[in-house]
Amino acid sequence: MKSLDKVIRSVQAFGRELSRKSSAAEAKRVPAIGVALGGGFARGIAHIGVLKVLEEEGIPVRMVAGTSVGALIGAVYCSGLTIAELEEVAYKVRFTTFARWTLSRYGFATNDRMVAFLERTLKVQTFEELRIPLGVTATDFNTGEGAVFHSGSIIDPVRASCAYPGMFLPVEIRGRWLVDGMLSHPVPALPLREMGAERVLAVHLKGQWSKTAAPRHLFDVIGQSFAIAQDMMSSVWRNAADLVIEPDVAGFDYDDFKRTDELMRVGARAMRRALPEVRKWLEAPAGAAAPVQAPAMVARPAPMPAD
């Protein structure tokens, strides 16, 4: 009988120890971190600097959502390209890599060249094959509703997300005419929450125009109009983010592909300034993730010496 009691006590002690270790492991579980990449055309090259620092510092990115150029970079990254490969691609791209001028009542250019670019650049062709889950945003032209793609072919949703109204022709997918995701999700923090992200890092590429100079051309007018609209609706996506970083892209033109090095550096600087806050996420228990409506911390750009 004593022998049986001893066995029972041993089993109970083993169960308590197992439960303790399980609770400790759960407390140390890394929260699901999502990165929301906003739009900004060539300025979006700054996103590569952000992703590079996250990798260098061992910050695990569990999911990505992208709008416009953020969708393009997010798709290429999530498909399996290394940061070095992503940088190599960025050095080579120009406006004509993705687009060609055309005569149409719907826009001045088509981004149909993006099809060939993505076919040769992506490691995989469907959302289901991606190494990191991705959400790609677009906007239904007829209803104004946001659309978020998570399945099927990657290429047309990315094209739709990049279909800047007034410049690029809308893209038709499954009977819907779609335009740039910036109209519905300027920075796709909310789609990341819906994908299951427990912590959301939002990257906002806020452009700045002269307050006195006249616009140079139609695309300046369109771009500034987008910037105004983004500011007016910023509370929606900011409330879904835990941390907002804003790389200092003022002074960069929307087609400044030739300044790839500088753009990647400003993205990296902004991310490095935000690292202390992100590291806190890894130290806190996973269940302590901020609620969706919690005010986001904002890491704003500050003057930094050249690298």
Side-chain angles (χ1 to χ4, degrees):
M1 191 71 175
K2 288 182 180 180
S3 192
L4 180 60
D5 289 342
K6 187 175 181 180
V7 170
I8 292 172
R9 286 196 298 272
S10 296
V11 170
Q12 290 173 335
F14 177 73
R16 287 193 298 271
E17 179 65 13
L18 202 61
S19 177
R20 184 187 66 79
K21 288 182 177 179
S22 176
S23 298
E26 178 64 21
K28 293 178 181 178
R29 184 178 68 84
V30 175
I33 296 174
V35 179
L37 304 176
F41 207 39
R43 294 169 175 173
I45 293 170
H47 290 319
I48 300 174
V50 172
L51 295 170
K52 183 176 184 177
V53 171
L54 289 170
E55 281 207 359
E56 288 175 346
E57 298 298 323
I59 308 297
V61 175
R62 293 274 297 278
M63 59 197 75
V64 174
T67 288
S68 199
V69 67
L72 177 62
I73 290 176
V76 174
Y77 179 69
C78 292
S79 79
L81 266 72
T82 65
I83 292 296
E85 290 173 325
L86 198 52
E87 289 175 332
E88 185 178 347
V89 170
Y91 285 122
K92 294 177 180 177
V93 299
R94 295 292 184 268
F95 176 82
T96 53
T97 305
F98 313 114
R100 61 183 175 85
W101 300 110
T102 187
L103 290 175
S104 171
R105 71 183 72 180
Y106 302 125
F108 291 96
T110 173
N111 64 13
D112 57 0
R113 286 181 177 171
M114 195 175 288
V115 174
F117 169 78
L118 288 171
E119 284 178 342
R120 66 175 180 266
T121 304
L122 292 170
K123 300 278 188 180
V124 297
Q125 300 292 308
T126 66
F127 284 91
E128 290 81 2
E129 298 172 283
L130 294 170
R131 70 181 180 94
I132 299 174
L134 172 71
V136 169
T137 71
T139 305
D140 189 308
F141 178 77
N142 292 310
T143 66
E145 296 175 346
V148 184
F149 293 87
H150 305 99
S151 62
S153 173
I154 301 166
I155 293 174
D156 278 345
V158 171
R159 285 185 61 220
S161 190
C162 295
Y164 203 69
M167 177 182 284
F168 293 117
L169 278 60
V171 175
E172 193 253 335
I173 300 178
R174 302 168 198 162
R176 301 172 73 186
W177 287 99
L178 301 163
V179 293
D180 203 307
M182 288 175 68
L183 287 171
S184 52
H185 295 288
V187 181
L190 189 56
L192 274 179
R193 289 289 185 192
E194 294 168 349
M195 289 168 66
E198 294 169 298
R199 293 290 187 181
V200 173
L201 170 66
V203 187
H204 179 217
L205 303 176
K206 184 176 182 179
Q208 295 181 6
W209 280 260
S210 167
K211 297 183 184 298
T212 57
R216 297 168 301 165
H217 43 59
L218 171 63
F219 303 126
D220 271 2
V221 174
I222 297 172
Q224 176 67 335
S225 299
F226 262 92
I228 293 168
Q230 284 185 62
D231 283 346
M232 295 297 289
M233 63 188 296
S234 67
S235 62
V236 176
W237 62 262
R238 286 181 187 274
N239 284 342
D242 295 294
L243 177 64
V244 179
I245 66 171
E246 297 181 328
D248 188 3
V249 294
F252 291 91
D253 292 331
Y254 268 82
D255 57 353
D256 252 347
F257 293 101
K258 62 185 180 296
R259 299 175 70 184
T260 291
D261 264 333
E262 297 170 75
L263 282 162
M264 287 193 290
R265 280 200 296 269
V266 299
R269 287 171 183 163
M271 189 63 246
R272 289 204 177 279
R273 286 193 293 270
L275 278 175
E277 190 63 30
V278 175
R279 287 196 181 104
K280 291 178 185 177
W281 301 348
L282 306 182
E283 297 164 2
V292 171
Q293 295 302 317
M297 295 283 294
V298 181
R300 299 191 182 281
M304 293 282 288
D307 291 345

